[in-house]
Amino acid sequence: MATLRALECLVALVKTGSVTKAASSLHLSQPALSHQIAALERELGTPVVQRQARGIRVTAAGLAAAEEAIVALEAANRAVEAARQVADGRSGRLRVACAETMTFWLLAPVLRRWRHLRPDVHLDVMEFTSSDKMVETLMAGQADVVVGPEPTSTTAYVETLGDEEMLVVAPAAHRFASQTSVTVDELEGEPFVHYTPDNGNAAWIDAFVARHQVVVTATLRTRSPRTAAQLAGAGMGVTIIPASALAVRPSGVVRRLEPRVHRGVVAITATPSDALVSLFIADLRRRGLPSVDTSADTSAVS
């Protein structure tokens, strides 16, 4: 197959009508240009130029090839420029899979900044309730970066963004309202708003209480931590939620666990060297996780 360099030499010959001028325009020596033309002629099986006493003449086959070569070279230049823009973070597409509670809590400020600084980068956001499911989506090539709690396991590149606090939500009239914190043992026997098995919080809570030899009594289950917080606040029981679920405050009270409990929040990618991915993770790391503020009121979270 003819190389782009050989086609570039042919186009230069057509435009200049001279081997000397064509070679100069491409910063090549005349023998190097002649070598490219000879290789092109072998590929085509026919001459593309005829040497004359005074210069050259491009053949009909050469002119036909040059016409299409101009289109091919322009397309190649566009391809190079497109790659450069993506490498510089100026354009392209980034597919982000995130835990549903973290879209507003963590991603929104970064997405807003990207919209302002990189308007030609198309952003897709997919929300999940399971980190393991997000990793499956990543490894299937359907996402570029995952943001959420640590998955069960992964062979992809993982970068820790920080720790998210796990909190207790209870009805306003519950005995927990008079306390500044709640121990795991105090959850024993309490009606508990739990999570459906497809939500990663279900396995996390089961493992957490089991380590403390505590059994929680699930009165109902939901897929959403935000819904769990609202249901607990409405009197359906108590629950444990990640701090990111409190972007919308429930009607009940929010209390810290004693001792305080956190879980890691990570960014995961199969292509850490990808320019858009590395820039996005860097912005997430630079911003950090929102903090839990209990200085004025132990039920206030920001």
Side-chain angles (χ1 to χ4, degrees):
M1 181 178 291
T3 65
L4 287 175
R5 193 56 164 168
L7 295 176
E8 199 174 29
C9 290
L10 175 61
V11 171
L13 284 174
V14 171
K15 289 182 176 179
T16 64
S18 162
V19 172
T20 301
K21 292 180 180 178
S24 177
S25 69
L26 296 175
H27 305 290
L28 292 175
S29 66
Q30 292 186 35
L33 185 139
S34 296
H35 175 76
Q36 292 289 341
I37 293 300
L40 179 60
E41 289 178 328
R42 287 194 298 273
E43 176 71 22
L44 298 179
T46 186
V48 295
V49 295
Q50 290 183 342
R51 282 74 177 174
Q52 298 179 329
R54 301 181 66 179
I56 61 162
R57 187 177 73 85
V58 180
T59 66
L63 291 172
E67 185 176 350
E68 295 300 327
I70 291 173
V71 177
L73 292 171
E74 290 176 347
N77 287 335
R78 288 195 299 272
V80 170
E81 179 58 24
R84 285 174 177 164
Q85 288 188 10
V86 173
D88 293 340
R90 290 179 288 140
S91 70
R93 182 186 183 195
L94 185 67
R95 300 166 299 170
V96 183
C98 71
E100 62 163 355
T101 59
M102 296 186 183
T103 309
F104 178 78
W105 182 72
L106 176 60
L107 292 191
V110 177
L111 295 174
R112 183 170 58 247
R113 183 171 185 270
W114 273 54
R115 180 59 183 156
H116 174 69
L117 297 179
R118 299 182 174 89
D120 292 327
V121 175
H122 183 76
L123 296 166
D124 293 332
V125 177
M126 300 167 279
E127 295 180 304
F128 291 79
T129 59
S130 165
S131 290
D132 289 343
K133 185 63 177 179
M134 287 194 289
V135 169
E136 289 179 16
T137 302
L138 176 75
M139 302 312 291
Q142 298 169 358
D144 302 306
V145 61
V146 163
V147 179
E150 295 174 288
T152 302
S153 65
T154 180
T155 57
Y157 172 81
V158 178
E159 181 155 341
T160 299
L161 300 176
D163 292 321
E164 177 183 23
E165 188 164 7
M166 303 299 286
L167 304 163
V168 174
V169 179
H174 195 277
R175 61 188 175 91
F176 290 168
S178 63
Q179 303 175 196
T180 58
S181 61
V182 177
T183 65
V184 181
D185 291 342
E186 290 178 293
L187 298 176
E188 182 88 50
E190 290 286 342
F192 195 85
V193 180
H194 213 325
Y195 299 95
T196 54
D198 59 339
N199 187 301
N201 290 296
W204 187 93
I205 288 173
D206 287 343
F208 171 65
V209 297
R211 287 196 302 272
H212 294 82
Q213 298 182 324
V214 169
V215 177
V216 294
T217 305
T219 56
L220 56 83
R221 293 179 181 266
T222 175
R223 294 184 72 250
S224 169
R226 287 178 295 223
T227 301
Q230 297 297 331
L231 289 172
M236 298 301 297
V238 301
T239 193
I240 296 176
I241 62 167
S244 56
L246 291 175
V248 177
R249 288 278 298 125
S251 57
V253 295
V254 180
R255 295 294 180 261
R256 280 176 160 145
L257 284 159
E258 181 60 45
R260 292 169 66 170
V261 177
H262 297 81
R263 66 178 180 181
V265 176
V266 298
I268 307 171
T269 181
T271 55
S273 62
D274 181 275
L276 290 177
V277 169
S278 62
L279 286 169
F280 192 78
I281 292 176
D283 277 355
L284 287 172
R285 186 174 60 249
R286 185 162 42 247
R287 176 171 176 78
L289 302 189
S291 60
V292 177
D293 181 9
T294 61
S295 58
D297 179 357
T298 54
S299 67
V301 176
S302 64

